[in-house]
mmCIF file of all heavy atoms in Angstrom:
data_model
loop_
_atom_site.group_PDB
_atom_site.id
_atom_site.type_symbol
_atom_site.label_atom_id
_atom_site.label_comp_id
_atom_site.label_asym_id
_atom_site.label_seq_id
_atom_site.Cartn_x
_atom_site.Cartn_y
_atom_site.Cartn_z
ATOM 1 N N MET I 17 -40.184 42.190 59.796
ATOM 2 C CA MET I 17 -41.370 42.524 60.575
ATOM 3 C C MET I 17 -41.123 43.834 61.312
ATOM 4 O O MET I 17 -40.085 44.001 61.956
ATOM 5 C CB MET I 17 -41.681 41.398 61.570
ATOM 6 C CG MET I 17 -43.035 41.524 62.231
ATOM 7 S SD MET I 17 -43.424 40.136 63.333
ATOM 8 C CE MET I 17 -43.512 38.782 62.163
ATOM 9 N N PRO I 19 -41.046 46.582 64.122
ATOM 10 C CA PRO I 19 -40.996 46.424 65.581
ATOM 11 C C PRO I 19 -42.342 46.647 66.269
ATOM 12 O O PRO I 19 -42.681 45.925 67.213
ATOM 13 C CB PRO I 19 -39.964 47.471 66.003
ATOM 14 C CG PRO I 19 -39.077 47.621 64.809
ATOM 15 C CD PRO I 19 -39.966 47.466 63.636
ATOM 16 N N LEU I 22 -44.406 43.599 65.737
ATOM 17 C CA LEU I 22 -43.909 42.489 66.554
ATOM 18 C C LEU I 22 -44.372 42.642 68.002
ATOM 19 O O LEU I 22 -44.797 41.665 68.636
ATOM 20 C CB LEU I 22 -42.387 42.436 66.480
ATOM 21 C CG LEU I 22 -41.712 41.356 67.333
ATOM 22 C CD1 LEU I 22 -42.174 39.968 66.900
ATOM 23 C CD2 LEU I 22 -40.190 41.458 67.228
ATOM 24 N N ILE I 64 -42.434 29.230 64.309
ATOM 25 C CA ILE I 64 -41.404 30.245 64.574
ATOM 26 C C ILE I 64 -40.366 30.183 63.453
ATOM 27 O O ILE I 64 -39.857 29.107 63.128
ATOM 28 C CB ILE I 64 -40.707 29.984 65.919
ATOM 29 C CG1 ILE I 64 -41.717 29.982 67.067
ATOM 30 C CG2 ILE I 64 -39.603 30.998 66.176
ATOM 31 C CD1 ILE I 64 -41.151 29.452 68.376
ATOM 32 N N SER I 65 -40.059 31.322 62.876
ATOM 33 C CA SER I 65 -39.008 31.359 61.858
ATOM 34 C C SER I 65 -38.366 32.737 61.849
ATOM 35 O O SER I 65 -39.063 33.747 61.890
ATOM 36 C CB SER I 65 -39.571 31.048 60.466
ATOM 37 O OG SER I 65 -38.560 31.200 59.483
ATOM 38 N N ALA I 66 -37.037 32.750 61.799
ATOM 39 C CA ALA I 66 -36.312 34.015 61.676
ATOM 40 C C ALA I 66 -35.931 34.296 60.237
ATOM 41 O O ALA I 66 -35.494 35.404 59.904
ATOM 42 C CB ALA I 66 -35.056 33.982 62.547
ATOM 43 N N GLU I 67 -36.087 33.299 59.376
ATOM 44 C CA GLU I 67 -35.747 33.506 57.969
ATOM 45 C C GLU I 67 -36.760 34.457 57.342
ATOM 46 O O GLU I 67 -37.955 34.384 57.640
ATOM 47 C CB GLU I 67 -35.756 32.176 57.215
ATOM 48 C CG GLU I 67 -34.656 31.227 57.636
ATOM 49 C CD GLU I 67 -33.276 31.781 57.333
ATOM 50 O OE1 GLU I 67 -33.110 32.398 56.260
ATOM 51 O OE2 GLU I 67 -32.367 31.623 58.162
ATOM 52 N N PRO I 68 -36.328 35.373 56.465
ATOM 53 C CA PRO I 68 -37.268 36.299 55.838
ATOM 54 C C PRO I 68 -38.424 35.545 55.186
ATOM 55 O O PRO I 68 -38.196 34.501 54.562
ATOM 56 C CB PRO I 68 -36.411 37.008 54.791
ATOM 57 C CG PRO I 68 -35.018 36.926 55.335
ATOM 58 C CD PRO I 68 -34.949 35.588 56.010
ATOM 59 N N PRO I 69 -39.664 36.044 55.362
ATOM 60 C CA PRO I 69 -40.057 37.312 55.987
ATOM 61 C C PRO I 69 -40.276 37.219 57.498
ATOM 62 O O PRO I 69 -40.760 38.172 58.099
ATOM 63 C CB PRO I 69 -41.381 37.610 55.286
ATOM 64 C CG PRO I 69 -41.978 36.261 55.049
ATOM 65 C CD PRO I 69 -40.819 35.354 54.743
ATOM 66 N N GLY I 70 -39.939 36.090 58.128
ATOM 67 C CA GLY I 70 -40.136 35.925 59.564
ATOM 68 C C GLY I 70 -41.500 35.321 59.863
ATOM 69 O O GLY I 70 -42.458 35.517 59.113
ATOM 70 N N ALA I 71 -41.582 34.587 60.964
ATOM 71 C CA ALA I 71 -42.858 33.957 61.324
ATOM 72 C C ALA I 71 -42.950 33.786 62.830
ATOM 73 O O ALA I 71 -41.975 33.395 63.484
ATOM 74 C CB ALA I 71 -42.992 32.596 60.638
ATOM 75 N N LEU I 72 -44.140 34.083 63.367
ATOM 76 C CA LEU I 72 -44.451 33.839 64.773
ATOM 77 C C LEU I 72 -45.975 33.877 64.873
ATOM 78 O O LEU I 72 -46.583 34.943 64.937
ATOM 79 C CB LEU I 72 -43.814 34.912 65.666
ATOM 80 C CG LEU I 72 -44.024 34.738 67.186
ATOM 81 C CD1 LEU I 72 -43.412 33.433 67.668
ATOM 82 C CD2 LEU I 72 -43.441 35.916 67.945
ATOM 83 N N GLY I 105 -37.869 40.824 73.073
ATOM 84 C CA GLY I 105 -36.492 40.514 73.414
ATOM 85 C C GLY I 105 -35.715 41.708 73.920
ATOM 86 O O GLY I 105 -36.284 42.729 74.330
ATOM 87 N N ALA I 106 -34.393 41.579 73.877
ATOM 88 C CA ALA I 106 -33.525 42.636 74.393
ATOM 89 C C ALA I 106 -33.647 43.913 73.583
ATOM 90 O O ALA I 106 -33.343 44.995 74.071
ATOM 91 C CB ALA I 106 -32.074 42.153 74.393
ATOM 92 N N HIS I 107 -34.086 43.832 72.335
ATOM 93 C CA HIS I 107 -34.350 45.032 71.542
ATOM 94 C C HIS I 107 -35.623 44.838 70.755
ATOM 95 O O HIS I 107 -36.192 43.735 70.713
ATOM 96 C CB HIS I 107 -33.169 45.364 70.624
ATOM 97 C CG HIS I 107 -32.757 44.239 69.745
ATOM 98 N ND1 HIS I 107 -33.295 44.028 68.511
ATOM 99 C CD2 HIS I 107 -31.854 43.242 69.948
ATOM 100 C CE1 HIS I 107 -32.743 42.957 67.963
ATOM 101 N NE2 HIS I 107 -31.869 42.464 68.818
ATOM 102 N N ALA I 108 -36.104 45.883 70.136
ATOM 103 C CA ALA I 108 -37.461 45.904 69.597
ATOM 104 C C ALA I 108 -37.703 44.948 68.444
ATOM 105 O O ALA I 108 -38.846 44.599 68.161
ATOM 106 C CB ALA I 108 -37.807 47.332 69.154
ATOM 107 N N SER I 109 -36.663 44.491 67.765
ATOM 108 C CA SER I 109 -36.855 43.601 66.613
ATOM 109 C C SER I 109 -36.628 42.137 66.966
ATOM 110 O O SER I 109 -36.413 41.313 66.089
ATOM 111 C CB SER I 109 -35.928 44.008 65.470
ATOM 112 O OG SER I 109 -34.571 43.901 65.880
ATOM 113 N N ALA I 110 -36.658 41.808 68.258
ATOM 114 C CA ALA I 110 -36.440 40.422 68.690
ATOM 115 C C ALA I 110 -37.545 39.991 69.657
ATOM 116 O O ALA I 110 -38.103 40.803 70.393
ATOM 117 C CB ALA I 110 -35.081 40.278 69.360
ATOM 118 N N ALA I 111 -37.852 38.698 69.628
ATOM 119 C CA ALA I 111 -38.783 38.102 70.585
ATOM 120 C C ALA I 111 -38.029 37.050 71.381
ATOM 121 O O ALA I 111 -37.007 36.519 70.927
ATOM 122 C CB ALA I 111 -39.962 37.474 69.860
ATOM 123 N N GLU I 112 -38.558 36.738 72.583
ATOM 124 C CA GLU I 112 -37.910 35.749 73.443
ATOM 125 C C GLU I 112 -38.959 34.787 73.972
ATOM 126 O O GLU I 112 -39.945 35.211 74.573
ATOM 127 C CB GLU I 112 -37.187 36.442 74.598
ATOM 128 C CG GLU I 112 -36.314 35.498 75.413
ATOM 129 C CD GLU I 112 -35.510 36.248 76.457
ATOM 130 O OE1 GLU I 112 -36.060 36.507 77.542
ATOM 131 O OE2 GLU I 112 -34.338 36.583 76.189
ATOM 132 N N LEU I 113 -38.745 33.509 73.718
ATOM 133 C CA LEU I 113 -39.657 32.469 74.197
ATOM 134 C C LEU I 113 -38.952 31.724 75.331
ATOM 135 O O LEU I 113 -37.948 31.048 75.111
ATOM 136 C CB LEU I 113 -39.993 31.502 73.055
ATOM 137 C CG LEU I 113 -40.997 30.398 73.380
ATOM 138 C CD1 LEU I 113 -42.380 30.981 73.608
ATOM 139 C CD2 LEU I 113 -41.040 29.363 72.255
ATOM 140 N N LEU I 129 -35.395 30.920 73.904
ATOM 141 C CA LEU I 129 -35.113 30.966 72.463
ATOM 142 C C LEU I 129 -35.272 32.411 72.005
ATOM 143 O O LEU I 129 -36.362 32.981 72.083
ATOM 144 C CB LEU I 129 -36.078 30.066 71.683
ATOM 145 C CG LEU I 129 -35.910 30.091 70.159
ATOM 146 C CD1 LEU I 129 -34.619 29.384 69.762
ATOM 147 C CD2 LEU I 129 -37.098 29.442 69.461
ATOM 148 N N THR I 130 -34.166 33.004 71.565
ATOM 149 C CA THR I 130 -34.224 34.370 71.030
ATOM 150 C C THR I 130 -34.525 34.304 69.546
ATOM 151 O O THR I 130 -33.837 33.597 68.788
ATOM 152 C CB THR I 130 -32.893 35.103 71.262
ATOM 153 O OG1 THR I 130 -32.661 35.200 72.670
ATOM 154 C CG2 THR I 130 -32.932 36.498 70.668
ATOM 155 N N ILE I 131 -35.560 35.030 69.133
ATOM 156 C CA ILE I 131 -35.988 35.055 67.737
ATOM 157 C C ILE I 131 -35.657 36.432 67.189
ATOM 158 O O ILE I 131 -36.360 37.415 67.472
ATOM 159 C CB ILE I 131 -37.503 34.768 67.623
ATOM 160 C CG1 ILE I 131 -37.863 33.494 68.389
ATOM 161 C CG2 ILE I 131 -37.920 34.658 66.158
ATOM 162 C CD1 ILE I 131 -39.298 33.442 68.837
ATOM 163 N N GLU I 132 -34.561 36.521 66.468
ATOM 164 C CA GLU I 132 -34.096 37.801 65.933
ATOM 165 C C GLU I 132 -34.706 38.021 64.554
ATOM 166 O O GLU I 132 -34.475 37.246 63.621
ATOM 167 C CB GLU I 132 -32.567 37.809 65.842
ATOM 168 C CG GLU I 132 -31.981 39.036 65.184
ATOM 169 C CD GLU I 132 -32.389 40.322 65.868
ATOM 170 O OE1 GLU I 132 -31.970 40.528 67.032
ATOM 171 O OE2 GLU I 132 -33.121 41.101 65.240
ATOM 172 N N LEU I 133 -35.520 39.076 64.420
ATOM 173 C CA LEU I 133 -36.223 39.345 63.164
ATOM 174 C C LEU I 133 -35.747 40.643 62.520
ATOM 175 O O LEU I 133 -36.424 41.182 61.648
ATOM 176 C CB LEU I 133 -37.738 39.412 63.418
ATOM 177 C CG LEU I 133 -38.361 38.121 63.949
ATOM 178 C CD1 LEU I 133 -39.778 38.359 64.398
ATOM 179 C CD2 LEU I 133 -38.324 37.032 62.882
ATOM 180 N N GLY I 134 -34.584 41.146 62.944
ATOM 181 C CA GLY I 134 -34.064 42.401 62.402
ATOM 182 C C GLY I 134 -33.192 42.176 61.187
ATOM 183 O O GLY I 134 -33.430 41.278 60.380
ATOM 184 N N ARG I 135 -32.121 42.968 61.089
ATOM 185 C CA ARG I 135 -31.261 42.893 59.903
ATOM 186 C C ARG I 135 -30.411 41.636 59.882
ATOM 187 O O ARG I 135 -29.938 41.227 58.831
ATOM 188 C CB ARG I 135 -30.357 44.129 59.860
ATOM 189 C CG ARG I 135 -31.122 45.406 59.584
ATOM 190 C CD ARG I 135 -30.190 46.562 59.340
ATOM 191 N NE ARG I 135 -30.916 47.773 58.965
ATOM 192 C CZ ARG I 135 -30.337 48.918 58.643
ATOM 193 N NH1 ARG I 135 -28.999 49.004 58.669
ATOM 194 N NH2 ARG I 135 -31.045 49.973 58.317
ATOM 195 N N ARG I 136 -30.167 41.056 61.062
ATOM 196 C CA ARG I 136 -29.401 39.810 61.129
ATOM 197 C C ARG I 136 -30.278 38.723 61.728
ATOM 198 O O ARG I 136 -30.155 38.370 62.907
ATOM 199 C CB ARG I 136 -28.136 40.005 61.970
ATOM 200 C CG ARG I 136 -27.156 40.980 61.349
ATOM 201 C CD ARG I 136 -25.887 41.089 62.171
ATOM 202 N NE ARG I 136 -24.914 41.977 61.555
ATOM 203 C CZ ARG I 136 -23.723 42.247 62.065
ATOM 204 N NH1 ARG I 136 -23.370 41.696 63.219
ATOM 205 N NH2 ARG I 136 -22.892 43.066 61.454
ATOM 206 N N PRO I 137 -31.210 38.177 60.948
ATOM 207 C CA PRO I 137 -32.183 37.219 61.484
ATOM 208 C C PRO I 137 -31.512 35.931 61.936
ATOM 209 O O PRO I 137 -30.475 35.513 61.407
ATOM 210 C CB PRO I 137 -33.115 36.972 60.299
ATOM 211 C CG PRO I 137 -32.299 37.292 59.088
ATOM 212 C CD PRO I 137 -31.379 38.396 59.506
ATOM 213 N N GLY I 138 -32.116 35.293 62.936
ATOM 214 C CA GLY I 138 -31.588 34.022 63.413
ATOM 215 C C GLY I 138 -32.267 33.581 64.692
ATOM 216 O O GLY I 138 -32.964 34.359 65.369
ATOM 217 N N LEU I 139 -32.099 32.306 65.021
ATOM 218 C CA LEU I 139 -32.601 31.727 66.263
ATOM 219 C C LEU I 139 -31.407 31.373 67.139
ATOM 220 O O LEU I 139 -30.411 30.848 66.641
ATOM 221 C CB LEU I 139 -33.443 30.474 65.988
ATOM 222 C CG LEU I 139 -34.667 30.643 65.078
ATOM 223 C CD1 LEU I 139 -35.350 29.287 64.866
ATOM 224 C CD2 LEU I 139 -35.655 31.638 65.669
ATOM 225 N N ALA I 140 -31.519 31.625 68.444
ATOM 226 C CA ALA I 140 -30.413 31.325 69.348
ATOM 227 C C ALA I 140 -30.956 30.872 70.691
ATOM 228 O O ALA I 140 -31.850 31.521 71.260
ATOM 229 C CB ALA I 140 -29.516 32.542 69.526
#
Side-chain angles (χ1 to χ4, degrees):
M17 191 177 295
L22 178 61
I64 302 168
S65 175
E67 293 296 321
L72 182 61
H107 54 89
S109 61
E112 189 174 84
L113 183 68
L129 177 71
T130 298
I131 309 155
E132 175 57 67
L133 298 170
R135 291 189 175 183
R136 295 183 177 180
L139 302 178

